[in-house]
Amino acid sequence: MVLLLTIALAACGGDSGTSAPSDEDSSSSWSDAIGSSSSSSVVSIGSSSLQNDKQKSSSSVKKESSSSVKTVSSSSSVIPASSGNLPSSSSKKDGGSSSAMTSSSSSNKKVESSSSEYVPFDHSHALAADWRIGENRYKTFVDPRNGRSYYYITITGRDTNLTTTTITVMAENLNVGKMVLGEDDQNDDGAIERYCYNNDTTYCDEFGGLYQWAEMMQLPSRCNTESCSELILPNHQGICPDGWRLFTYNDYRIVRFSEGNEEHGVAGLRSGYRFNGYNTTGFSLVGAGYRSEEKKFENLNEYAFWFFPTEKASEKAYVGLISITNDDGISESDWSIKQEGLSVRCVKLE
């Protein structure tokens, strides 16, 4: 059950220790490769391996029966930042800062030191330009649990049955919950918990939180290590706000095969902001990285990972992943370990 991920990590930027204000078609298990011109290493997170997408002319999946495994971490030693929780109107607690904050002190300045006042990240930088997707496509929604505002967009495309369908989906990753350190599991079943890359809430503000499968699903934490398939509902809400549900593989297909994205494919999902994409869909995917099974933070600005609300087995769930360089589609049968921490997107209920 081991997934193999080839990783050569570049140094990640950021203001570690700075606290944000309160706030396609392949089958088999997935793995990925992140290339380097000088070296590559292998991190154990899967049972197959994808060839280094900077070194290959195509991105076909090849099986590997055995490999020399070396664990690599991009995490640096940082001072844990506070989660800055706000009161919640639900039975779950949450925290985080607003992406389209209406605070009068908000501006798009860069933090110069840990003593500087943190300015919330302006998520409009990651959105598609009007000239590419059409004017007034983006709307905003405020999550009443913590007052955070999200951009969302309505997209029409073809689903898994090649039926033309329309969905309304968040154009940024969810950021809700109290922060827990990457070394810990999200096992408080009485609160929503999140990881922030490098244990720094400013990364949550910019890229969204990272969540284990059971946390995303809002199921008991035991569901990370045992099957809970009987608890999965149609239009499963999970940690999404009321009136929203978790993003599914069928939703991915609608976005991937959306109107106006025929030329760019997967690159049309990626934001041009640090993620080398065309964003012709308006989906604005960012490289939020992930929290690995080894409890380390990896691949910021290089990969986007998210769980689907479906199980593969007791300790595994199906996932989507898109790299900064690989323009191939994802598979409905790709999977990962439930205890990893991945991004979350939500779709509006009709």
Side-chain angles (χ1 to χ4, degrees):
M1 299 182 181
V2 181
L3 292 151
L4 295 179
L5 170 61
T6 302
I7 299 179
L9 296 167
C12 297
D15 300 300
S16 297
T18 304
S19 177
S22 164
D23 25 348
E24 219 64 340
D25 306 304
S26 63
S27 59
S28 75
S29 56
W30 74 271
S31 63
D32 48 295
I34 297 175
S36 168
S37 59
S38 59
S39 63
S40 64
S41 303
V42 177
V43 172
S44 170
I45 56 175
S47 66
S48 69
S49 105
L50 194 62
Q51 294 178 356
N52 187 313
D53 50 19
K54 288 185 179 178
Q55 299 174 349
K56 60 182 177 151
S57 58
S58 65
S59 56
S60 59
V61 176
K62 72 175 183 179
K63 302 288 184 180
E64 295 186 358
S65 58
S66 63
S67 300
S68 174
V69 177
K70 179 181 178 183
T71 301
V72 180
S73 170
S74 63
S75 302
S76 59
S77 176
V78 298
I79 301 172
S82 64
S83 61
N85 300 324
L86 287 177
S88 170
S89 60
S90 67
S91 60
K92 296 285 187 179
K93 299 177 183 177
D94 61 272
S97 59
S98 174
S99 62
M101 293 276 285
T102 56
S103 169
S104 60
S105 63
S106 296
S107 64
N108 188 40
K109 295 187 297 182
K110 200 169 181 63
V111 175
E112 296 179 356
S113 72
S114 59
S115 61
S116 301
E117 179 182 356
Y118 179 75
V119 177
F121 177 72
D122 182 355
H123 281 257
S124 66
H125 293 311
L127 302 180
D130 286 349
W131 63 265
R132 186 171 287 283
I133 64 169
E135 293 185 1
N136 303 317
R137 288 281 305 282
Y138 290 109
K139 310 296 181 184
T140 58
F141 161 81
V142 176
D143 187 342
R145 296 174 296 180
N146 62 357
R148 184 179 177 87
S149 177
Y150 295 92
Y151 287 102
Y152 67 90
I153 187 170
T154 298
I155 298 174
T156 299
R158 289 175 288 127
D159 62 13
T160 52
N161 296 318
L162 302 182
T163 302
T164 300
T165 308
T166 297
I167 60 169
T168 297
V169 60
M170 287 184 178
E172 53 186 288
N173 293 333
L174 191 68
N175 181 23
V176 65
K178 66 179 184 180
M179 192 192 81
V180 296
L181 299 180
E183 65 197 57
D184 299 325
D185 286 323
Q186 295 172 346
N187 55 14
D188 182 351
D189 291 342
I192 298 177
E193 296 175 298
R194 61 177 175 163
Y195 297 122
C196 294
Y197 200 95
N198 278 359
N199 298 323
D200 185 336
T201 57
T202 63
Y203 286 110
C204 269
D205 181 44
E206 183 170 349
F207 295 98
L210 301 171
Y211 303 89
Q212 294 182 322
W213 186 82
E215 190 69 29
M216 177 196 79
M217 298 290 287
Q218 280 298 274
L219 297 177
S221 54
R222 62 178 173 79
C223 294
N224 282 329
T225 55
E226 61 184 75
S227 176
C228 289
S229 58
E230 74 283 359
L231 300 178
I232 302 175
L233 303 173
N235 295 324
H236 199 101
Q237 178 179 349
I239 59 173
C240 293
D242 288 343
W244 297 74
R245 60 168 176 81
L246 294 169
F247 188 76
T248 67
Y249 178 75
N250 194 57
D251 297 326
Y252 156 75
R253 292 275 301 190
I254 294 169
V255 176
R256 164 68 176 79
F257 295 99
S258 62
E259 298 174 353
N261 191 49
E262 293 81 4
E263 177 184 356
H264 297 298
V266 169
L269 279 71
R270 299 197 308 259
S271 173
Y273 174 77
R274 298 192 184 183
F275 210 39
N276 197 33
Y278 291 98
N279 207 9
T280 43
T281 63
F283 192 62
S284 309
L285 197 64
V286 293
Y290 80 117
R291 180 262 196 187
S292 73
E293 183 184 5
E294 291 79 20
K295 304 181 179 182
K296 300 180 184 299
F297 296 101
E298 311 282 358
N299 308 147
L300 186 71
N301 288 319
E302 295 180 334
Y303 270 74
F305 303 85
W306 65 94
F307 283 118
F308 292 121
T310 49
E311 275 192 344
K312 174 179 173 60
S314 59
E315 297 181 356
K316 302 167 190 168
Y318 292 107
V319 299
L321 66 100
I322 292 176
S323 80
I324 192 171
T325 56
N326 191 340
D327 291 339
D328 288 347
I330 67 174
S331 169
E332 188 175 15
S333 59
D334 292 343
W335 57 268
S336 188
I337 302 300
K338 291 177 178 178
Q339 289 176 311
E340 292 174 346
L342 310 185
S343 300
V344 171
R345 285 286 177 106
C346 300
V347 175
K348 197 173 188 297
L349 292 172
E350 299 301 327

